[in-house]
Amino acid sequence: MIKHHPTDALLTQYCNGTLPASLSVAVSIHIDMCSCCRDKVEAIEASNASEVFINNQEDFSEQIDLEDAGLLESIMLDDGIDEVYEVKKQEVSVNEQSYELPRALSRIAHSKFMQMGKLSRSRIALDDGALRSSLLHIAAGGEIPEHTHTGFELTLLLAGEFSDESGDYVAGDFMLLDGQHQHTPVTENGCLCYTVVSSALHFNKGLSKLLNPIGNLIY
Amino acid sequence: MKRAIFPLPVFLLPHGYTRLRIFEQRYLDMVKESLKSGSGFVLCQYDIDCYLNTPTRGCLVEIVDFTLDEGGVLVIDVAAMYAVEITDVVQDKNKLRYGQTSKTKEPNWFTEPHTIERSDTCLVSALKDLFADNKQLRNLYRETQFDNFNWVIARWLELLPISIDKKQQLAYKSDFANIHTFLHTVINNEFT
Amino acid sequence: MVSQQPSIRCKPRTGNYTAMPDTPSKELADALFAVATKRDKKAFSYLFAYFSPKIKRFGIKQFNSEAQAMELVQETLTSVWRKAHLYNNDKGAATTWIYTVMRNASFDMLRKMKSNKEDNISEDIWPLVEQNENDAHEFSDHLEDKQIKGYLDKLPQAQRDVVRGVYFQDMSQEQLAEQLNIPVGTVKSRLRLALQKLRNEMGDKND
């Protein structure tokens, strides 16, 4: 069962369309897998709609001016409709394992996987300012060296399992950690994650410190 | 009349044909029995909410042909006769289901004649084209009635790519006007 | 930035957001339906008159610019005109659907302004049709056929007689598209619209 969910504050930003694209993609994937968050999102959207379109007591008596009337005509000039677009299922293969990409990612490009031992990373082509999003694959028995962040790190487990100091995680689990958290995810049978980080990682322990540049590679 | 019942995810209306592959011993028995007695068997949906997964509505079918495919599997062609109500479902030791079946007047629209209006000819010609282009369908249908509007509509309902639940709803719970609008929207033009 | 604590509990809100009594919810839903099914220009003018000042007001708050607010009005209402058939009247109020169309347009506009990206990914984040549900349930029959056939192929002959097989006779959307000589997207649109009309005519009782 999914135990880790986006906060209500995050869901609200998501519904308002004010959350950055890479995090919105993560929430979108999560709610495709989590019916309770989907219900929350529907409720927030309904409430937002009421706010903007119904309960709004502002005076709209200005009505449509001439410019708007021209707009109305120009919209209706074209009788075409937008067809239901096709979302083709996309598969990714990494380390001889094959995964179906979530719907929200299936039309967005991603780079080839780069491999470093048991870790493989593919960058998602989502230009989103300081945020970088990736597909991260950890092969069976792999782990990510203990690290912290100066910003935040989002990990959304897409397939497989992993565990860290605070417990076990299953597909759909949504974990947003800030700079104060440290963690060392380990996976027994391998897993695929969607990750978003706001800035480079810092590795804390002995040898890992020497490996700090890896942070840039992984995330 | 007591008849054998074959729950299958296949949607068939009166005068429709379909081809079935028979693997299981219980259904091989059913076919044998049906050929001997000449009283057919009943196709119905597989309904997880019903006793023995058998709903109260089914369609009586008659075996019109049988053969073995290259792998030695029995293949039968069946023709749907009419809709039946199923009651008193039981199962024999081979797990073949039986039920009491009686003829119903459903679907209601099917029993009333409907004339093919000028605007409906596209539904007929599109179906004709479909049969012309599809060898499997042509081979299956021993008899076609392109001048019978109900027959044309029934075939479209069988063939359209919508779920069986929707087909059931259209065929048995909607009226002629609903079905008519539905087919025109899908086959003819989206904004009529 | 947002709160960064992961939320452990997931309890849906129970509050219902009912429209104010003087909201013409039914009229708005009917108008949207008339636009979808009949390309009804009068109905669209009604929607335009109701929504455009409210969208404009929202846009001014969002972008702090009158010109961009007008662009949002245009983007949103053009989408409403062109995508009305994607609105599923079972799934919620017309106002909620139009809100999501507006939010998507606004998201794409903000993204364009901030990072000069014209990738319009809002529909990847918030699809206007429920892909999963519809494709999995409404149209999945022909898939079953393929699955069963694939399954049978893998079985040794001796085991086959415990599995029944059947030739499903219905067509795939691709076959229907080919037969009618129209794109698959058009088949999907028409099926949606046909199912929507059916729901509208029959009400909720049989759904």
Side-chain angles (χ1 to χ4, degrees):
Chain A
M1 206 183 104
I2 299 175
K3 280 185 296 196
H4 302 267
H5 305 273
T7 58
D8 287 356
L10 204 69
L11 290 180
T12 303
Q13 288 197 331
Y14 168 80
C15 294
N16 294 349
T18 50
L19 199 62
S22 40
L23 290 176
S24 295
V25 165
V27 176
S28 175
I29 298 170
H30 176 79
I31 64 170
D32 275 353
M33 302 165 97
C34 174
S35 61
C36 59
C37 287
R38 190 159 59 238
D39 291 345
K40 280 187 184 181
V41 160
E42 280 172 14
I44 298 169
E45 285 177 341
S47 144
N48 285 354
S50 300
E51 190 112 330
V52 180
F53 293 141
I54 297 169
N55 300 339
N56 202 326
Q57 295 301 313
E58 288 174 61
D59 180 22
F60 291 111
S61 55
E62 55 188 284
Q63 285 300 332
I64 324 161
D65 56 30
L66 283 174
E67 186 196 7
D68 294 350
L71 178 56
L72 171 62
E73 286 307 315
S74 77
I75 290 174
M76 293 192 296
L77 218 53
D78 182 354
D79 230 0
I81 60 160
D82 289 356
E83 306 286 6
V84 178
Y85 68 84
E86 197 94 32
V87 176
K88 291 226 171 67
K89 296 219 159 97
Q90 296 287 329
E91 295 232 325
V92 288
S93 287
V94 46
N95 270 336
E96 287 162 9
Q97 273 180 285
S98 171
Y99 298 94
E100 192 180 297
L101 277 185
R103 178 202 50 75
L105 285 174
S106 50
R107 295 198 307 173
I108 302 172
H110 60 95
S111 74
K112 272 195 192 147
F113 275 92
M114 285 179 63
Q115 201 177 335
M116 280 272 309
K118 297 205 168 196
L119 302 176
S120 310
R121 187 264 289 158
S122 157
R123 187 79 78 212
I124 310 262
L126 251 183
D127 202 336
D128 198 19
L131 303 185
R132 279 189 306 197
S133 47
S134 314
L135 288 170
L136 182 68
H137 183 260
I138 313 177
E143 65 174 290
I144 298 183
E146 190 172 303
H147 60 277
T148 53
H149 313 272
T150 47
F152 70 90
E153 170 198 348
L154 166 91
T155 307
L156 173 61
L157 187 51
L158 300 176
E161 45 63 46
F162 71 74
S163 47
D164 69 5
E165 293 82 350
S166 11
D168 300 328
Y169 300 86
V170 297
D173 269 329
F174 184 103
M175 289 139 289
L176 192 58
L177 302 176
D178 64 19
Q180 286 139 38
H181 293 78
Q182 297 194 358
H183 73 147
T184 319
V186 189
T187 174
E188 200 177 315
N189 301 310
C191 65
L192 183 71
C193 306
Y194 173 77
T195 62
V196 181
V197 287
S198 63
S199 64
L201 301 173
H202 293 265
F203 290 87
N204 303 327
K205 255 200 303 201
L207 186 63
S208 292
K209 266 197 174 150
L210 294 172
L211 299 175
N212 230 344
I214 299 177
N216 285 317
L217 177 94
I218 302 171
Y219 280 98
Chain B
M1 173 165 193
K2 191 178 169 186
R3 288 188 173 99
I5 293 165
F6 192 4
L8 260 190
V10 57
F11 179 81
L12 208 57
L13 285 168
H15 306 307
Y17 288 79
T18 193
R19 181 164 294 176
L20 306 173
R21 312 175 79 193
I22 308 293
F23 297 93
E24 286 180 75
Q25 191 55 50
R26 52 179 164 171
Y27 296 119
L28 289 168
D29 294 345
M30 174 188 78
V31 169
K32 247 183 263 168
E33 221 172 274
S34 167
L35 287 171
K36 222 189 290 170
S37 70
S39 61
F41 60 91
V42 172
L43 273 184
C44 66
Q45 302 308 309
Y46 186 91
D47 191 334
I48 47 167
D49 295 327
C50 294
Y51 177 63
L52 293 176
N53 309 118
T54 307
T56 54
R57 184 193 299 119
C59 198
L60 175 66
V61 300
E62 194 177 62
I63 300 170
V64 294
D65 200 2
F66 62 92
T67 180
L68 294 178
D69 74 5
E70 57 282 9
V73 175
L74 178 64
V75 175
I76 62 172
D77 286 0
V78 298
M81 315 298 288
Y82 49 81
V84 292
E85 192 189 0
I86 308 167
T87 54
D88 307 312
V89 184
V90 292
Q91 212 169 29
D92 74 3
K93 61 180 193 316
N94 295 325
K95 299 207 159 168
L96 179 59
R97 300 165 182 82
Y98 288 92
Q100 287 299 330
T101 57
S102 52
K103 187 175 179 175
T104 70
K105 287 217 164 67
E106 291 186 301
N108 292 327
W109 56 270
F110 195 85
T111 47
E112 297 159 20
H114 292 98
T115 47
I116 302 174
E117 305 293 337
R118 220 186 142 74
S119 57
D120 297 322
T121 51
C122 59
L123 298 183
V124 179
S125 59
L127 188 68
K128 274 186 184 161
D129 291 347
L130 185 63
F131 270 69
D133 292 349
N134 192 318
K135 199 170 160 232
Q136 265 189 324
L137 214 50
R138 269 202 321 278
N139 288 343
L140 197 55
Y141 272 80
R142 276 71 178 168
E143 186 224 346
T144 54
Q145 302 174 34
F146 287 107
D147 53 355
N148 173 348
F149 200 22
N150 289 336
W151 185 90
V152 169
I153 285 173
R155 302 297 76 79
W156 272 124
L157 289 181
E158 289 166 356
L159 289 162
L160 282 182
I162 54 175
S163 72
I164 292 185
D165 288 347
K166 284 287 170 209
K167 292 180 185 209
Q168 292 281 353
Q169 187 194 344
L170 270 165
Y172 292 101
K173 291 179 183 165
S174 331
D175 58 17
F176 181 79
N178 290 139
I179 303 168
H180 191 248
T181 309
F182 193 91
L183 291 181
H184 269 283
T185 305
V186 178
I187 311 298
N188 193 7
N189 189 342
E190 60 260 58
F191 299 118
T192 48
Chain C
M1 206 46 231
V2 294
S3 153
Q4 314 214 320
Q5 293 297 323
S7 146
I8 302 294
R9 248 172 276 121
C10 181
K11 253 191 279 164
R13 291 182 187 185
T14 46
N16 266 332
Y17 299 93
T18 42
M20 305 258 290
D22 57 341
T23 303
S25 325
K26 172 116 191 7
E27 286 78 357
L28 293 171
D30 287 349
L32 192 52
F33 182 70
V35 171
T37 53
K38 293 190 292 228
R39 312 302 277 152
D40 188 324
K41 294 193 171 179
K42 226 179 117 192
F44 186 71
S45 307
Y46 169 68
L47 293 176
F48 189 96
Y50 184 88
F51 286 104
S52 62
K54 297 178 168 71
I55 296 170
K56 190 174 166 187
R57 190 69 55 103
F58 177 87
I60 288 171
K61 278 188 197 140
Q62 195 86 336
F63 304 110
N64 207 11
S65 143
E66 170 113 10
Q68 269 149 356
M70 277 315 292
E71 195 184 327
L72 183 66
V73 171
Q74 177 172 2
E75 289 290 325
T76 305
L77 289 166
T78 303
S79 287
V80 170
W81 173 247
R82 297 181 62 87
K83 297 177 201 282
H85 59 291
L86 303 182
Y87 166 60
N88 180 343
N89 45 6
D90 283 356
K91 277 284 183 178
T95 44
T96 305
W97 188 76
I98 293 179
Y99 171 81
T100 59
V101 172
M102 175 185 78
R103 185 263 328 272
N104 287 12
S106 158
F107 180 86
D108 285 333
M109 278 176 64
L110 275 173
R111 191 165 155 75
K112 195 165 110 190
M113 284 152 56
K114 264 198 267 179
S115 54
N116 215 12
K117 279 275 151 190
E118 295 206 39
D119 47 7
N120 295 336
I121 57 166
S122 65
E123 282 210 39
D124 295 286
I125 298 170
W126 302 279
L128 290 174
V129 287
E130 322 80 46
Q131 308 272 348
N132 302 340
E133 281 179 41
N134 280 332
D135 285 10
H137 301 301
E138 306 244 65
F139 307 130
S140 68
D141 296 344
H142 61 281
L143 294 176
E144 227 165 12
D145 187 19
K146 274 183 225 136
Q147 277 164 2
I148 287 178
K149 277 185 188 148
Y151 177 55
L152 288 174
D153 288 345
K154 285 184 194 136
L155 287 177
Q157 184 67 42
Q159 280 177 26
R160 281 196 183 184
D161 58 357
V162 297
V163 182
R164 62 163 188 262
V166 63
Y167 289 120
F168 292 108
Q169 54 176 151
D170 60 349
M171 316 167 80
S172 65
Q173 293 177 38
E174 289 73 18
Q175 281 174 308
L176 184 59
E178 203 174 302
Q179 197 63 44
L180 298 176
N181 206 11
I182 53 176
V184 179
T186 307
V187 167
K188 284 177 190 279
S189 294
R190 288 186 186 181
L191 285 170
R192 280 194 72 80
L193 194 58
L195 291 169
Q196 193 189 65
K197 282 184 189 177
L198 185 68
R199 275 194 293 266
N200 216 56
E201 281 158 9
M202 304 195 51
D204 295 335
K205 61 182 191 292
N206 287 311
D207 223 30

